[in-house]
Amino acid sequence: MGRQLLINDLDKEGIATLAGYKANGGYAALEKALKMKPEEVVTEVQKSGLRGRGGAGFPTGMKWSFIAKPPGVPRYLVCNADESEPGTFKDRYLMQRKPHILIEGMIISSFALGANTSYIYIRGEMMYVFHILEKAIQEAYDAGLLGKNILGSGYDLDLYVHCGAGAYICGEETGLIESLEGKRGNPRIKPPFPAVKGVWQCPTVVNNVETLAAVVPIINMTGDEYAKIGIGKSTGTKLISASGHINKPGVYEIELGVPVEEFIYSEQYCGGIRNGKKLKAVVAGGSSVPILPAEKLLKTPKGEPRLMSYESLSEGGFAEGTMLGSGGFIVMDEDTSVVKNLWNFTRFYHHESCGQCSPCREGTGWMEKILHKFLDGHATMADIDLLWDIQSKIDGRTICPLGDAASWPVASAIRHFRSEFEEYVKKGENMRDIQHYYRVNQLEATNS
Amino acid sequence: MAEIKPIKFSDEALQLCHKIMKRYPEGKQKSAILPVLHIAQAEFGGWLSAPVMDYVASLLKIQPVEVYEVASFYTMYNLKPVGKCVIEVCRTGPCWLMGAEDLVKFIEKKLNIKEGETTADGMFTLKTVECLASCGTAPMMQIGETYHENLTFEKCSDILDNYKAKGEHVSHWRKERITNHSDIKQ
């Protein structure tokens, strides 16, 4: 197993409490950071090469450097804990087991940004984690780690948890900001970017849970040292949420650059495909990223082993590659119906579309209906092209990336698994009874 | 004649709401709407009626329509009466791959209701919901704040029997966390 910086000490007694966290070196980074200048903290994060862990992979230090500093206007840091990308469960895992690493990361980051009030926006479904965070924050206040004059530094910070109420769109940063203001989570048109006009029209930075937690080891070890971990521009470690048809689903912290094949088959990670089945396809970074068939996932277009990194997973563009995204790694075995899985994802995007932009609001609904025709056995070959046409007219034509996220799974499924759509058309209603799986052999046996 | 109860939070709930409202800048108390609606659901039988939403509007000093539009946007708010226990089964991607569809059918059969319906005794409402970030422990369901993970039919059946035996009202924001809210920092 490679180096672990975030979940290395989860087995330590009381790590979820302030005492246990401190006994294992917690809040040392905060003490160090408070002796630095805020801009020096930003520089360390820039040097680390840390990229947003929520999905977009935007360099964190650069995002921080964009924050506007008009005099007399408060600045805010908001943690995006609205983890709702299907296939992703790392943030819940981390917050539940080690809440203080997020709190420490947020105090350091707020100090770097000059924010005196910060919020953690957690999705409402994770209500029990909301209370875990409340308790941990209370402990931090009692120990002088939050509130006025933190550790005698003269720096003040109030940190609050805010809960959502069930809306995928609030994971989009401007949707999240609208929601934090007490409104429907309709994303805003950018510009102005949140760094200039965010929550309550004040400069705001929104960062993912894992991103803010990673600031703690960066300050402890320095940005330069952190940048030595990983590969190329994919520095550091990443939490991967592994799910689906594997022997050992769960959260794994990897050094970026681990070969995908090793990640799937090695005993220290996913432990191979369950029931001795073969690998059919993987959605490597949360439901929004393109699905890849096994052979394209394991090897790059150049025939080299593909690695778990931002660059390697996207090698070959959308024709041949995918994205690291949020690290939601969904594995499908040979029996899985890609068409039915796609219907499931598309229904999700239709359900979660906020309804502002017509390409997304109408397009996701049409795609869901057409995919349902395939499952019902009433689709025609022209429907495959129609699906392709609709997705191409959503992609890039909406205010926020939900439209893109809804179109990419459709495009990639047709691109790589067109023959399976054709099979649904040819076999028609005979495919109806296939509930979970695409068991061609069984179906053929019943037909003969 | 049915007794008409005035719409009012318990003292503890009211205190808790005022604590939460103070977390946002002066004049921005509307921001507290999502947590306050969760508390309202816990206080008033698991759903939000129009009078309850009007009450929340008066508390936050905003127009009722501002509450309606929010309450109708977020899936965790029930705008119709529900059973004491709302079963929320995750149906998205990874849970579907691991058998969520069969799990829903099993619950439908066990409780003799369809998805979206409430049992005749008012104990259970069955809902399907989107990804609850529990994909590594699929299939799963949420009841109140509790995640029930790695479900099998037997396990699911036992869990539902337990809730039924207790017969208590279960909400996302647990009642005891309203009665005693010392964990909530102002």
Side-chain angles (χ1 to χ4, degrees):
Chain A
M1 183 101 45
R3 257 177 106 169
Q4 295 193 319
L5 305 172
L6 304 177
I7 59 171
N8 51 317
D9 47 10
L10 291 186
D11 55 339
K12 297 274 167 32
E13 203 187 327
I15 196 76
T17 65
L18 178 63
Y21 181 68
K22 276 185 118 171
N24 288 285
Y27 288 104
L30 176 63
E31 282 189 41
K32 190 173 167 187
L34 289 176
K35 287 179 191 135
M36 297 160 70
K37 288 188 188 128
E39 49 279 18
E40 287 170 348
V41 177
V42 177
T43 305
E44 284 307 313
V45 174
Q46 282 173 329
K47 281 185 187 163
S48 74
L50 176 67
R51 295 166 66 172
R53 300 297 196 224
F58 191 82
T60 306
M62 196 187 289
K63 193 174 194 178
W64 287 8
S65 72
F66 293 152
I67 194 161
K69 295 176 177 169
V73 179
R75 281 164 245 159
Y76 294 98
L77 172 67
V78 182
C79 170
N80 185 343
D82 190 62
E83 182 175 49
S84 19
E85 175 78 5
T88 316
F89 47 98
K90 65 189 175 78
D91 295 337
R92 181 174 72 94
Y93 182 89
L94 184 65
M95 289 187 289
Q96 176 179 339
R97 288 166 176 80
K98 208 171 156 183
H100 281 285
I101 193 171
L102 173 59
I103 296 169
E104 184 178 10
M106 283 201 73
I107 305 170
I108 298 169
S109 307
S110 302
F111 172 71
L113 292 163
N116 296 110
T117 307
S118 296
Y119 296 91
I120 301 172
Y121 182 107
I122 188 165
R123 62 183 295 198
E125 291 93 334
M126 298 181 189
M127 194 63 89
Y128 75 101
V129 186
F130 171 94
H131 291 286
I132 290 172
L133 290 169
E134 288 282 359
K135 198 174 155 199
I137 287 173
Q138 184 80 268
E139 283 183 315
Y141 268 102
D142 293 344
L145 298 163
L146 280 170
K148 297 270 176 226
N149 191 19
I150 295 170
L151 298 175
S153 65
Y155 173 62
D156 306 336
L157 176 68
D158 282 314
L159 176 61
Y160 303 113
V161 203
H162 177 94
C163 61
Y168 171 69
I169 194 63
C170 295
E172 197 278 338
E173 62 177 6
T174 59
L176 184 147
I177 287 169
E178 286 283 302
S179 183
L180 181 55
E181 292 184 0
K183 303 176 204 158
R184 299 164 79 100
N186 290 351
R188 296 175 179 173
I189 294 173
K190 298 189 258 191
F193 286 89
V196 179
K197 282 191 172 165
V199 66
W200 306 301
Q201 297 296 306
C202 298
T204 304
V205 167
V206 182
N207 283 140
N208 172 259
V209 172
E210 188 189 345
T211 311
L212 292 166
V215 171
V216 174
I218 288 170
I219 295 302
N220 271 327
M221 71 201 299
T222 75
D224 285 335
E225 284 302 309
Y226 185 88
K228 287 180 189 162
I229 304 169
I231 181 164
K233 285 184 179 169
S234 298
T235 61
T237 65
K238 174 89 188 80
L239 297 178
I240 304 291
S241 320
S243 66
H245 301 142
I246 45 176
N247 283 316
K248 291 166 61 195
V251 174
Y252 297 99
E253 183 171 8
I254 59 160
E255 279 189 28
L256 286 164
V258 171
V260 176
E261 190 159 5
E262 182 186 334
F263 184 71
I264 297 175
Y265 292 102
S266 146
E267 274 310 308
Q268 54 177 334
Y269 301 118
C270 303
I273 311 302
R274 62 172 201 167
N275 302 330
K277 296 279 182 182
K278 285 198 199 101
L279 174 66
K280 178 172 185 177
V282 168
V283 175
S287 63
S288 307
V289 311
I291 188 172
L292 277 189
E295 65 281 5
K296 289 201 161 102
L297 174 82
L298 300 176
K299 295 261 189 291
T300 66
K302 287 181 201 146
E304 290 159 358
R306 217 186 266 277
L307 311 177
M308 299 286 282
S309 75
Y310 293 97
E311 289 75 22
S312 184
L313 280 168
S314 57
E315 210 176 311
F318 274 10
E320 301 283 325
T322 181
M323 289 165 75
L324 179 64
S326 64
F329 199 84
I330 311 168
V331 180
M332 299 170 201
D333 71 14
E334 55 189 311
D335 292 337
T336 311
S337 162
V338 165
V339 176
K340 190 152 186 197
N341 182 70
L342 179 64
W343 164 78
N344 185 292
F345 281 174
T346 304
R347 194 221 55 231
F348 169 81
Y349 290 109
H350 181 212
H351 183 262
E352 298 300 334
S353 174
C354 80
Q356 274 194 114
C357 313
S358 30
C360 172
R361 181 187 64 237
E362 305 299 325
T364 51
W366 280 111
M367 293 197 300
E368 186 197 342
K369 279 183 189 145
I370 294 166
L371 282 161
H372 211 270
K373 272 175 82 180
F374 281 88
L375 301 184
D376 265 354
H378 299 145
T380 63
M381 291 297 176
D383 285 326
I384 305 174
D385 299 324
L386 184 58
L387 263 183
W388 181 272
D389 192 47
I390 297 172
Q391 70 75 24
S392 72
K393 285 176 174 131
I394 302 174
D395 191 7
R397 288 173 170 81
T398 52
I399 291 173
C400 88
L402 193 144
D404 308 343
S407 79
W408 297 344
V410 176
S412 55
I414 297 176
R415 187 181 288 125
H416 301 301
F417 295 95
R418 193 177 182 107
S419 60
E420 203 173 305
F421 287 84
E422 290 169 355
E423 190 156 12
Y424 266 86
V425 174
K426 282 181 201 150
K427 293 196 172 141
E429 295 188 7
N430 289 329
M431 297 297 275
R432 259 197 205 171
D433 297 331
I434 310 298
Q435 289 305 331
H436 294 291
Y437 297 119
Y438 182 60
R439 290 201 178 96
V440 182
N441 295 339
Q442 272 185 16
L443 188 76
E444 280 169 355
T446 52
N447 282 347
S448 59
Chain B
M1 248 179 81
E3 188 192 347
I4 298 170
K5 287 187 197 157
I7 302 283
K8 193 180 179 307
F9 276 154
S10 62
D11 290 347
E12 294 89 353
L14 204 55
Q15 271 175 13
L16 175 57
C17 290
H18 282 296
K19 244 184 184 179
I20 291 172
M21 281 153 68
K22 284 191 189 131
R23 297 174 157 197
Y24 308 96
E26 188 88 36
K28 307 293 182 194
Q29 75 287 345
K30 182 180 173 177
S31 282
I33 189 167
L34 299 183
V36 170
L37 284 175
H38 281 300
I39 294 165
Q41 248 185 200
E43 287 275 286
F44 300 108
W47 72 292
L48 301 171
S49 64
V52 166
M53 289 190 275
D54 294 348
Y55 173 72
V56 168
S58 69
L59 200 65
L60 297 175
K61 300 190 176 67
I62 56 178
Q63 295 300 317
V65 68
E66 294 178 82
V67 181
Y68 304 159
E69 65 169 12
V70 162
S72 59
F73 184 82
Y74 296 91
T75 54
M76 288 178 77
Y77 302 129
N78 301 309
L79 302 182
K80 286 181 187 156
V82 289
K84 285 181 179 170
C85 258
V86 181
I87 306 164
E88 294 168 309
V89 184
C90 174
R91 65 180 183 183
T92 321
C95 270
W96 169 75
L97 285 173
M98 301 302 282
E101 219 169 36
D102 284 344
L103 185 67
V104 172
K105 280 187 190 143
F106 171 79
I107 300 172
E108 285 181 337
K109 205 171 160 197
K110 178 178 166 68
L111 300 179
N112 197 23
I113 48 170
K114 291 278 167 209
E115 185 203 325
E117 292 177 353
T118 302
T119 52
D121 62 357
M123 186 63 217
F124 294 109
T125 298
L126 177 62
K127 272 171 96 170
T128 54
V129 295
E130 302 297 355
C131 188
L132 289 175
S134 185
C135 323
T137 41
M140 64 81 65
M141 63 181 177
Q142 178 169 23
I143 296 178
E145 69 163 24
T146 311
Y147 277 35
H148 298 284
E149 303 172 297
N150 291 313
L151 291 176
T152 59
F153 292 158
E154 295 82 345
K155 205 169 153 186
C156 174
S157 184
D158 290 348
I159 290 165
L160 296 183
D161 290 345
N162 272 333
Y163 278 102
K164 182 153 183 164
K166 279 190 197 151
E168 286 166 5
H169 183 273
V170 184
S171 49
H172 289 113
W173 197 303
R174 278 165 53 190
K175 272 282 198 187
E176 55 267 41
R177 295 199 197 275
I178 295 174
T179 322
N180 176 3
H181 50 77
S182 59
D183 68 323
I184 305 283
K185 175 88 188 164
Q186 180 164 300

mmCIF file of all heavy atoms in Angstrom, chain A residues 10-44:
data_model
loop_
_atom_site.group_PDB
_atom_site.id
_atom_site.type_symbol
_atom_site.label_atom_id
_atom_site.label_comp_id
_atom_site.label_asym_id
_atom_site.label_seq_id
_atom_site.Cartn_x
_atom_site.Cartn_y
_atom_site.Cartn_z
ATOM 1 N N LEU A 10 -7.124 5.723 11.051
ATOM 2 C CA LEU A 10 -8.519 5.534 11.469
ATOM 3 C C LEU A 10 -8.666 4.460 12.545
ATOM 4 O O LEU A 10 -9.656 4.448 13.266
ATOM 5 C CB LEU A 10 -9.394 5.164 10.260
ATOM 6 C CG LEU A 10 -9.604 6.261 9.230
ATOM 7 C CD1 LEU A 10 -10.605 5.812 8.184
ATOM 8 C CD2 LEU A 10 -10.074 7.551 9.881
ATOM 9 N N ASP A 11 -7.681 3.566 12.642
ATOM 10 C CA ASP A 11 -7.782 2.497 13.649
ATOM 11 C C ASP A 11 -7.328 2.974 15.025
ATOM 12 O O ASP A 11 -7.472 2.265 16.010
ATOM 13 C CB ASP A 11 -6.953 1.282 13.204
ATOM 14 C CG ASP A 11 -5.501 1.647 12.921
ATOM 15 O OD1 ASP A 11 -5.231 2.850 12.682
ATOM 16 O OD2 ASP A 11 -4.643 0.758 12.952
ATOM 17 N N LYS A 12 -6.795 4.193 15.111
ATOM 18 C CA LYS A 12 -6.325 4.693 16.403
ATOM 19 C C LYS A 12 -7.522 4.991 17.314
ATOM 20 O O LYS A 12 -8.529 5.521 16.852
ATOM 21 C CB LYS A 12 -5.476 5.956 16.220
ATOM 22 C CG LYS A 12 -4.213 5.710 15.415
ATOM 23 C CD LYS A 12 -3.103 5.244 16.307
ATOM 24 C CE LYS A 12 -1.875 4.681 15.629
ATOM 25 N NZ LYS A 12 -1.493 5.208 14.355
ATOM 26 N N GLU A 13 -7.338 4.695 18.589
ATOM 27 C CA GLU A 13 -8.436 4.861 19.526
ATOM 28 C C GLU A 13 -8.841 6.337 19.644
ATOM 29 O O GLU A 13 -7.994 7.207 19.760
ATOM 30 C CB GLU A 13 -8.008 4.326 20.894
ATOM 31 C CG GLU A 13 -9.182 3.940 21.753
ATOM 32 C CD GLU A 13 -8.746 3.567 23.159
ATOM 33 O OE1 GLU A 13 -7.633 3.012 23.302
ATOM 34 O OE2 GLU A 13 -9.521 3.849 24.088
ATOM 35 N N GLY A 14 -10.113 6.562 19.571
ATOM 36 C CA GLY A 14 -10.643 7.914 19.801
ATOM 37 C C GLY A 14 -10.287 8.928 18.732
ATOM 38 O O GLY A 14 -10.342 10.133 18.981
ATOM 39 N N ILE A 15 -9.929 8.476 17.535
ATOM 40 C CA ILE A 15 -9.498 9.417 16.490
ATOM 41 C C ILE A 15 -10.636 10.368 16.101
ATOM 42 O O ILE A 15 -10.384 11.463 15.600
ATOM 43 C CB ILE A 15 -8.940 8.644 15.260
ATOM 44 C CG1 ILE A 15 -8.125 9.561 14.340
ATOM 45 C CG2 ILE A 15 -10.043 7.945 14.463
ATOM 46 C CD1 ILE A 15 -6.764 9.903 14.832
ATOM 47 N N ALA A 16 -11.860 9.975 16.394
ATOM 48 C CA ALA A 16 -13.004 10.849 16.079
ATOM 49 C C ALA A 16 -13.163 11.968 17.104
ATOM 50 O O ALA A 16 -13.893 12.928 16.882
ATOM 51 C CB ALA A 16 -14.290 10.022 16.008
ATOM 52 N N THR A 17 -12.461 11.858 18.227
ATOM 53 C CA THR A 17 -12.568 12.903 19.255
ATOM 54 C C THR A 17 -11.370 13.849 19.175
ATOM 55 O O THR A 17 -10.344 13.507 18.582
ATOM 56 C CB THR A 17 -12.575 12.294 20.670
ATOM 57 O OG1 THR A 17 -11.288 11.674 20.896
ATOM 58 C CG2 THR A 17 -13.661 11.226 20.804
ATOM 59 N N LEU A 18 -11.506 14.990 19.799
ATOM 60 C CA LEU A 18 -10.408 15.961 19.783
ATOM 61 C C LEU A 18 -9.167 15.376 20.465
ATOM 62 O O LEU A 18 -8.052 15.490 19.949
ATOM 63 C CB LEU A 18 -10.838 17.251 20.486
ATOM 64 C CG LEU A 18 -9.776 18.331 20.578
ATOM 65 C CD1 LEU A 18 -9.361 18.803 19.199
ATOM 66 C CD2 LEU A 18 -10.270 19.510 21.405
ATOM 67 N N ALA A 19 -9.370 14.734 21.620
ATOM 68 C CA ALA A 19 -8.222 14.183 22.360
ATOM 69 C C ALA A 19 -7.489 13.142 21.520
ATOM 70 O O ALA A 19 -6.253 13.168 21.419
ATOM 71 C CB ALA A 19 -8.705 13.577 23.675
ATOM 72 N N GLY A 20 -8.252 12.241 20.913
ATOM 73 C CA GLY A 20 -7.640 11.187 20.107
ATOM 74 C C GLY A 20 -6.958 11.745 18.871
ATOM 75 O O GLY A 20 -5.865 11.299 18.488
ATOM 76 N N TYR A 21 -7.581 12.737 18.278
ATOM 77 C CA TYR A 21 -7.005 13.344 17.069
ATOM 78 C C TYR A 21 -5.702 14.064 17.414
ATOM 79 O O TYR A 21 -4.691 13.934 16.724
ATOM 80 C CB TYR A 21 -8.028 14.309 16.468
ATOM 81 C CG TYR A 21 -7.585 14.989 15.197
ATOM 82 C CD1 TYR A 21 -7.407 14.265 14.021
ATOM 83 C CD2 TYR A 21 -7.337 16.368 15.168
ATOM 84 C CE1 TYR A 21 -7.004 14.897 12.845
ATOM 85 C CE2 TYR A 21 -6.941 17.007 13.999
ATOM 86 C CZ TYR A 21 -6.777 16.268 12.839
ATOM 87 O OH TYR A 21 -6.377 16.897 11.685
ATOM 88 N N LYS A 22 -5.722 14.802 18.543
ATOM 89 C CA LYS A 22 -4.509 15.518 18.963
ATOM 90 C C LYS A 22 -3.397 14.553 19.348
ATOM 91 O O LYS A 22 -2.227 14.792 19.040
ATOM 92 C CB LYS A 22 -4.820 16.435 20.152
ATOM 93 C CG LYS A 22 -5.396 17.775 19.723
ATOM 94 C CD LYS A 22 -5.559 18.688 20.921
ATOM 95 C CE LYS A 22 -4.700 19.927 20.767
ATOM 96 N NZ LYS A 22 -5.007 20.914 21.819
ATOM 97 N N ALA A 23 -3.773 13.445 19.994
ATOM 98 C CA ALA A 23 -2.769 12.464 20.414
ATOM 99 C C ALA A 23 -2.054 11.859 19.207
ATOM 100 O O ALA A 23 -0.946 11.342 19.320
ATOM 101 C CB ALA A 23 -3.437 11.362 21.240
ATOM 102 N N ASN A 24 -2.680 11.939 18.042
ATOM 103 C CA ASN A 24 -2.047 11.409 16.843
ATOM 104 C C ASN A 24 -1.561 12.532 15.919
ATOM 105 O O ASN A 24 -1.567 12.396 14.697
ATOM 106 C CB ASN A 24 -3.019 10.479 16.119
ATOM 107 C CG ASN A 24 -3.204 9.174 16.879
ATOM 108 O OD1 ASN A 24 -2.337 8.325 16.863
ATOM 109 N ND2 ASN A 24 -4.328 9.046 17.579
ATOM 110 N N GLY A 25 -1.178 13.625 16.520
ATOM 111 C CA GLY A 25 -0.552 14.703 15.749
ATOM 112 C C GLY A 25 -1.516 15.737 15.201
ATOM 113 O O GLY A 25 -1.114 16.603 14.425
ATOM 114 N N GLY A 26 -2.785 15.637 15.582
ATOM 115 C CA GLY A 26 -3.774 16.584 15.071
ATOM 116 C C GLY A 26 -3.535 18.003 15.583
ATOM 117 O O GLY A 26 -3.037 18.192 16.692
ATOM 118 N N TYR A 27 -3.909 18.970 14.782
ATOM 119 C CA TYR A 27 -3.825 20.404 15.051
ATOM 120 C C TYR A 27 -2.393 20.939 15.131
ATOM 121 O O TYR A 27 -2.173 22.093 15.491
ATOM 122 C CB TYR A 27 -4.641 20.796 16.301
ATOM 123 C CG TYR A 27 -6.141 20.723 16.012
ATOM 124 C CD1 TYR A 27 -6.928 19.660 16.480
ATOM 125 C CD2 TYR A 27 -6.761 21.697 15.240
ATOM 126 C CE1 TYR A 27 -8.282 19.578 16.176
ATOM 127 C CE2 TYR A 27 -8.119 21.620 14.936
ATOM 128 C CZ TYR A 27 -8.870 20.561 15.413
ATOM 129 O OH TYR A 27 -10.209 20.491 15.108
ATOM 130 N N ALA A 28 -1.393 20.081 14.774
ATOM 131 C CA ALA A 28 -0.027 20.588 14.674
ATOM 132 C C ALA A 28 0.087 21.496 13.452
ATOM 133 O O ALA A 28 0.775 22.520 13.478
ATOM 134 C CB ALA A 28 0.958 19.427 14.554
ATOM 135 N N ALA A 29 -0.605 21.117 12.377
ATOM 136 C CA ALA A 29 -0.561 21.932 11.153
ATOM 137 C C ALA A 29 -1.171 23.302 11.418
ATOM 138 O O ALA A 29 -0.692 24.318 10.899
ATOM 139 C CB ALA A 29 -1.294 21.221 10.021
ATOM 140 N N LEU A 30 -2.223 23.356 12.233
ATOM 141 C CA LEU A 30 -2.861 24.644 12.535
ATOM 142 C C LEU A 30 -1.884 25.553 13.275
ATOM 143 O O LEU A 30 -1.721 26.722 12.943
ATOM 144 C CB LEU A 30 -4.135 24.436 13.354
ATOM 145 C CG LEU A 30 -4.817 25.734 13.793
ATOM 146 C CD1 LEU A 30 -5.298 26.537 12.580
ATOM 147 C CD2 LEU A 30 -5.990 25.465 14.722
ATOM 148 N N GLU A 31 -1.208 24.980 14.288
ATOM 149 C CA GLU A 31 -0.228 25.788 15.035
ATOM 150 C C GLU A 31 0.838 26.340 14.113
ATOM 151 O O GLU A 31 1.222 27.498 14.207
ATOM 152 C CB GLU A 31 0.423 24.923 16.130
ATOM 153 C CG GLU A 31 -0.480 24.745 17.337
ATOM 154 C CD GLU A 31 0.245 24.074 18.497
ATOM 155 O OE1 GLU A 31 1.426 24.412 18.741
ATOM 156 O OE2 GLU A 31 -0.370 23.202 19.145
ATOM 157 N N LYS A 32 1.285 25.483 13.187
ATOM 158 C CA LYS A 32 2.316 25.894 12.239
ATOM 159 C C LYS A 32 1.783 27.004 11.315
ATOM 160 O O LYS A 32 2.449 28.017 11.098
ATOM 161 C CB LYS A 32 2.726 24.668 11.422
ATOM 162 C CG LYS A 32 3.949 24.869 10.554
ATOM 163 C CD LYS A 32 4.359 23.526 9.929
ATOM 164 C CE LYS A 32 5.377 23.741 8.815
ATOM 165 N NZ LYS A 32 5.645 22.487 8.095
ATOM 166 N N ALA A 33 0.572 26.797 10.813
ATOM 167 C CA ALA A 33 0.010 27.751 9.851
ATOM 168 C C ALA A 33 -0.220 29.122 10.481
ATOM 169 O O ALA A 33 0.003 30.153 9.840
ATOM 170 C CB ALA A 33 -1.300 27.204 9.277
ATOM 171 N N LEU A 34 -0.661 29.132 11.734
ATOM 172 C CA LEU A 34 -0.970 30.412 12.378
ATOM 173 C C LEU A 34 0.293 31.239 12.619
ATOM 174 O O LEU A 34 0.215 32.443 12.872
ATOM 175 C CB LEU A 34 -1.733 30.188 13.689
ATOM 176 C CG LEU A 34 -3.170 29.691 13.538
ATOM 177 C CD1 LEU A 34 -3.794 29.402 14.897
ATOM 178 C CD2 LEU A 34 -4.039 30.673 12.761
ATOM 179 N N LYS A 35 1.463 30.589 12.541
ATOM 180 C CA LYS A 35 2.732 31.341 12.673
ATOM 181 C C LYS A 35 3.209 31.851 11.312
ATOM 182 O O LYS A 35 4.186 32.583 11.218
ATOM 183 C CB LYS A 35 3.798 30.446 13.313
ATOM 184 C CG LYS A 35 3.537 30.239 14.799
ATOM 185 C CD LYS A 35 4.566 29.332 15.449
ATOM 186 C CE LYS A 35 4.121 28.949 16.850
ATOM 187 N NZ LYS A 35 4.307 27.529 17.126
ATOM 188 N N MET A 36 2.529 31.401 10.244
ATOM 189 C CA MET A 36 2.887 31.858 8.899
ATOM 190 C C MET A 36 2.003 33.056 8.538
ATOM 191 O O MET A 36 1.047 33.372 9.222
ATOM 192 C CB MET A 36 2.652 30.725 7.875
ATOM 193 C CG MET A 36 3.513 29.502 8.107
ATOM 194 S SD MET A 36 2.852 28.004 7.303
ATOM 195 C CE MET A 36 3.114 28.359 5.570
ATOM 196 N N LYS A 37 2.341 33.708 7.407
ATOM 197 C CA LYS A 37 1.440 34.734 6.879
ATOM 198 C C LYS A 37 0.391 34.028 6.031
ATOM 199 O O LYS A 37 0.705 33.010 5.395
ATOM 200 C CB LYS A 37 2.224 35.711 6.002
ATOM 201 C CG LYS A 37 3.134 36.621 6.789
ATOM 202 C CD LYS A 37 3.721 37.689 5.864
ATOM 203 C CE LYS A 37 4.777 38.507 6.571
ATOM 204 N NZ LYS A 37 6.029 38.561 5.818
ATOM 205 N N PRO A 38 -0.840 34.586 5.968
ATOM 206 C CA PRO A 38 -1.871 33.918 5.159
ATOM 207 C C PRO A 38 -1.399 33.621 3.735
ATOM 208 O O PRO A 38 -1.624 32.534 3.208
ATOM 209 C CB PRO A 38 -3.027 34.920 5.166
ATOM 210 C CG PRO A 38 -2.853 35.677 6.435
ATOM 211 C CD PRO A 38 -1.381 35.764 6.675
ATOM 212 N N GLU A 39 -0.704 34.580 3.118
ATOM 213 C CA GLU A 39 -0.289 34.366 1.723
ATOM 214 C C GLU A 39 0.763 33.258 1.618
ATOM 215 O O GLU A 39 0.885 32.606 0.581
ATOM 216 C CB GLU A 39 0.154 35.663 1.040
ATOM 217 C CG GLU A 39 1.137 36.544 1.748
ATOM 218 C CD GLU A 39 0.528 37.454 2.818
ATOM 219 O OE1 GLU A 39 -0.610 37.216 3.295
ATOM 220 O OE2 GLU A 39 1.228 38.412 3.199
ATOM 221 N N GLU A 40 1.503 33.031 2.708
ATOM 222 C CA GLU A 40 2.472 31.918 2.687
ATOM 223 C C GLU A 40 1.748 30.574 2.687
ATOM 224 O O GLU A 40 2.201 29.610 2.085
ATOM 225 C CB GLU A 40 3.415 32.003 3.905
ATOM 226 C CG GLU A 40 4.424 33.120 3.796
ATOM 227 C CD GLU A 40 5.191 33.366 5.097
ATOM 228 O OE1 GLU A 40 4.797 32.831 6.162
ATOM 229 O OE2 GLU A 40 6.179 34.111 5.045
ATOM 230 N N VAL A 41 0.612 30.536 3.392
ATOM 231 C CA VAL A 41 -0.183 29.303 3.393
ATOM 232 C C VAL A 41 -0.711 29.036 1.974
ATOM 233 O O VAL A 41 -0.637 27.917 1.466
ATOM 234 C CB VAL A 41 -1.359 29.395 4.396
ATOM 235 C CG1 VAL A 41 -2.227 28.147 4.337
ATOM 236 C CG2 VAL A 41 -0.848 29.626 5.817
ATOM 237 N N VAL A 42 -1.191 30.104 1.319
ATOM 238 C CA VAL A 42 -1.679 29.960 -0.057
ATOM 239 C C VAL A 42 -0.540 29.441 -0.951
ATOM 240 O O VAL A 42 -0.733 28.530 -1.762
ATOM 241 C CB VAL A 42 -2.229 31.304 -0.604
ATOM 242 C CG1 VAL A 42 -2.655 31.160 -2.060
ATOM 243 C CG2 VAL A 42 -3.403 31.794 0.248
ATOM 244 N N THR A 43 0.650 29.994 -0.771
ATOM 245 C CA THR A 43 1.801 29.569 -1.583
ATOM 246 C C THR A 43 2.102 28.083 -1.385
ATOM 247 O O THR A 43 2.390 27.366 -2.341
ATOM 248 C CB THR A 43 3.042 30.408 -1.218
ATOM 249 O OG1 THR A 43 2.701 31.783 -1.365
ATOM 250 C CG2 THR A 43 4.211 30.089 -2.132
ATOM 251 N N GLU A 44 2.039 27.630 -0.141
ATOM 252 C CA GLU A 44 2.296 26.202 0.118
ATOM 253 C C GLU A 44 1.292 25.335 -0.637
ATOM 254 O O GLU A 44 1.652 24.306 -1.218
ATOM 255 C CB GLU A 44 2.216 25.887 1.620
ATOM 256 C CG GLU A 44 3.409 26.321 2.446
ATOM 257 C CD GLU A 44 4.745 25.820 1.897
ATOM 258 O OE1 GLU A 44 4.848 24.622 1.566
ATOM 259 O OE2 GLU A 44 5.677 26.635 1.767
#
